[in-house]
Amino acid sequence: MTKSIQFFFDFVSPFSYLAMTQLPDLCERTGASVEYKPIHVLTLMEKVGNRPSTIECPARGRYAMTDLARWAKRYDVPFVLNPHFQTIDSQRLLVGAVAAEQVGQAGEYVRAVFDAVWVKSAAFADDQELAALLGEAGVSNIPAILERSERNEEGLMSNMDAAETAGVFGVPSMIAGDELYFGNDRLEFLEEAVVR
C-alpha cells in the first residue's frame, strides 16, 4: 500500500515553504507520496479559534524572522523576504494549486509558486507573470491550470473543511494515517510515522 502524506499549506506561510523543501527527500527515503492541500490559513485559524500570533505580537514576529533564517540555513535552502508579500493575491495562487492537482501537476505547481514567493520575490501582478514563472519551473499544462483556476473555489473550500475536520489549526500541517504533525520542525516525527 502506498504511504500518503496530506500536506496542508498556504503559499504566504514561509514555514510551509520550508517544510515543502524537505518533503521530496522525505518521500524518496520512505516511498511516501504527498497529497497537496492548499488552504487559506487565516480563514481556517478564524474558524477554529486560533490567532496569528506572529502577526499580532511584534516580538514574536521578530523572533519568527530570526527562526526562519535559522531553518533555511539548517536545510541549506534559499530564503528571501518578499517585498510584495502584502499585495500577493494568495487566493488566486491557492485555487491554482487545486487546478494543478486536477491536471496532474500539483507538485510541480506548488514547488514553482513557493519558489517564486520565497526565493524569487515575485509580485504575481497578473496571469502573464504567473504563467512565465510556472513555465520557467517546468510546469507544462499552464493554460489548463489558469483556465480551471477560475472555477475552483469549491475545491479550496473542500480542503478547508477537510483541514478543520482533521484538527488542523495552522500551517504547515501534515497528516500521516490519522496523526497530525504541525510545523516544519516536526518532519522527523512525520517520517517516523510514515516508516512505522
Side-chain angles (χ1 to χ4, degrees):
M1 184 170 106
T2 303
K3 305 167 208 169
S4 182
I5 298 166
Q6 293 181 14
F7 176 48
F8 291 91
F9 66 91
D10 192 333
F11 290 116
V12 298
S13 160
F15 288 104
S16 290
Y17 158 71
L18 290 170
M20 181 279 308
T21 67
Q22 303 307 296
L23 286 176
D25 285 346
L26 186 154
C27 288
E28 187 175 328
R29 288 190 300 271
T30 63
S33 62
V34 177
E35 294 177 53
Y36 293 94
K37 300 286 188 181
I39 62 171
H40 190 272
V41 67
L42 291 180
T43 301
L44 176 75
M45 291 175 81
E46 187 176 330
K47 285 180 74 173
V48 302
N50 195 5
R51 300 185 63 86
S53 57
T54 56
I55 296 172
E56 295 177 349
C57 174
R60 182 155 187 175
R62 288 190 298 274
Y63 175 80
M65 292 301 104
T66 301
D67 206 36
L68 285 165
R70 289 177 183 142
W71 280 106
K73 184 176 180 182
R74 166 73 54 88
Y75 291 156
D76 193 25
V77 296
F79 175 76
V80 178
L81 289 176
N82 191 323
H84 309 289
F85 179 78
Q86 297 294 332
T87 58
I88 291 174
D89 182 359
S90 66
Q91 183 84 0
R92 182 172 60 134
L93 300 176
L94 293 167
V95 295
V98 174
E101 194 270 332
Q102 293 171 349
V103 300
Q105 291 202 291
E108 296 90 335
Y109 178 96
V110 168
R111 286 187 292 274
V113 172
F114 267 126
D115 186 62
V117 174
W118 297 111
V119 179
K120 297 179 179 175
S121 295
F124 299 100
D126 52 35
D127 279 350
Q128 288 73 28
E129 182 184 4
L130 176 57
L133 289 162
L134 294 175
E136 289 171 15
V139 177
S140 60
N141 213 343
I142 298 167
I145 292 170
L146 294 178
E147 191 269 329
R148 285 171 177 260
S149 293
E150 299 298 321
R151 54 178 198 273
N152 264 299
E153 299 290 332
E154 188 175 317
L156 186 59
M157 290 303 102
S158 176
N159 285 348
M160 298 284 287
D161 291 342
E164 185 176 8
T165 299
V168 173
F169 54 88
V171 294
S173 285
M174 290 75 60
I175 296 176
D178 58 359
E179 293 185 50
L180 171 67
Y181 300 88
F182 170 70
N184 73 287
D185 56 346
R186 295 300 187 266
L187 293 174
E188 288 186 17
F189 292 127
L190 172 67
E191 184 165 351
E192 288 171 4
V194 171
V195 170
R196 188 169 62 242

